[in-house]
Amino acid sequence: MLREDALATAARTAPRSLASRYAGRTVLAIGAHPDDLEIGIGGTLARLARAGARVVMAVVSIPSEFETRVAEAKGGAQILGAELRVLLNGGRCCRVEDLKTYELVTLLDGLVKELGPAAVLTHGSADFHRDHVLVHNAALATQRLQFFDLFCYYPTNCRPVQTAFQPRVYVNVSQTIDTKIEAIAAHVSQFSCRGLGVDVYRETARAQGRMIGAEYAEGLDVMRMILD
Ligand SMILES: [Zn+2]
């Protein structure tokens, strides 16, 4: 009887949602460029922040219009309720592939050592953008430092491109889809200035939501997940 009670209690209180799993803990999201994180997991990050997680958005490089894009990235992070870190922040533009592999790993190592994240979310390996794949590989390397959940988000782009990405888990972002879209639109230089709309990301989230019976969702691949 006692065992049944314990099982019932465990089932009732089990943190099934991503948000409740990370409440009070730190989640580190890593993107190669400004806007990658808003596009890939803006809804998830907003949910985590609302649930009480400390959400840190790390942008590795600013490839163009340094001051404008840093300001847009700050705006996007603020909308999502996250802290922003720009890793290659020498006050000038540069690209991820300007770094040696060990230098990129060292940058990400520093973040992991400082923050001790319960989860890291980053680009997937099937991405078409070389900078994104470089960041994915460097994030994989940080797993040697400590144990954390590691997820990869949907390939990010300003225009639709076919990808081989297959989500394994889905985060219901029905409550935060509008926040996500607002955060993407904060990157004015990448969208409205170029005549590009952001509705495609709402449509993508709607399509992923159908996979779990939710209005909107973001799909993630799972590299490692620790079930206590
Ligand atoms: Zn990018």
Side-chain angles (χ1 to χ4, degrees), residues 30 33 66 80-82 87 102 105 109 128 162 186 191:
I30 306 169
H33 313 113
F66 187 85
L80 298 178
L87 302 188
Y102 75 86
V105 171
D109 279 358
F128 71 100
Q162 308 103 311
F191 294 98

Side-chain angles (χ1 to χ4, degrees), residues 22 30 48 62-63 79 84 108-110 119 124 137 157 177 196 205 213 222:
Y22 299 110
I30 306 169
L48 288 164
I62 307 291
I79 290 166
L84 176 71
L108 300 189
D109 279 358
N137 287 332
N157 45 274
I177 185 68
L196 296 176
V222 181

Side-chain angles (χ1 to χ4, degrees), residues 49-227:
R50 288 181 191 180
R54 178 188 182 192
V55 179
V56 178
M57 293 171 65
V59 172
V60 175
S61 72
I62 307 291
S64 62
E65 303 174 81
F66 187 85
E67 289 179 6
T68 298
R69 298 201 66 184
V70 168
E72 290 172 351
K74 283 180 182 168
Q78 191 171 22
I79 290 166
L80 298 178
E83 300 169 34
L84 176 71
R85 302 283 183 92
V86 177
L87 302 188
L88 289 176
N89 192 355
R92 62 181 180 82
C93 297
C94 58
R95 294 189 176 274
V96 175
E97 64 177 346
D98 291 337
L99 291 178
K100 301 275 190 195
T101 299
Y102 75 86
E103 292 172 321
L104 181 55
V105 171
T106 300
L107 272 180
L108 300 189
D109 279 358
L111 271 180
V112 167
K113 287 174 184 170
E114 175 199 338
L115 298 171
V120 172
L121 301 103
T122 191
H123 295 283
S125 61
D127 206 297
F128 71 100
H129 197 311
R130 180 166 169 74
D131 280 358
H132 297 180
V133 177
L134 291 172
V135 170
H136 165 80
N137 287 332
L140 288 185
T142 66
Q143 293 181 104
R144 76 196 188 288
L145 299 177
Q146 67 164 81
F147 296 105
F148 49 76
D149 295 342
L150 180 59
F151 302 101
C152 298
Y153 49 80
Y154 211 87
T156 55
N157 45 274
C158 288
R159 296 177 174 86
V161 176
Q162 308 103 311
T163 66
F165 185 77
Q166 177 58 57
R168 311 285 174 183
V169 298
Y170 295 86
V171 181
N172 185 336
V173 297
S174 301
Q175 303 298 315
T176 53
I177 185 68
D178 291 338
T179 306
K180 171 189 174 108
I181 299 300
E182 185 186 349
I184 297 170
H187 295 269
V188 174
S189 67
Q190 302 303 295
F191 294 98
S192 63
C193 280
R194 296 200 282 178
L196 296 176
V198 296
D199 279 353
V200 63
Y201 304 111
R202 186 182 292 276
E203 292 160 14
T204 301
R206 185 177 288 126
Q208 293 186 69
R210 291 210 172 98
M211 299 298 290
I212 58 166
E215 193 173 7
Y216 296 103
E218 288 172 343
L220 300 170
D221 197 0
V222 181
M223 305 304 293
R224 182 172 66 188
M225 190 169 181
I226 302 161
L227 298 173

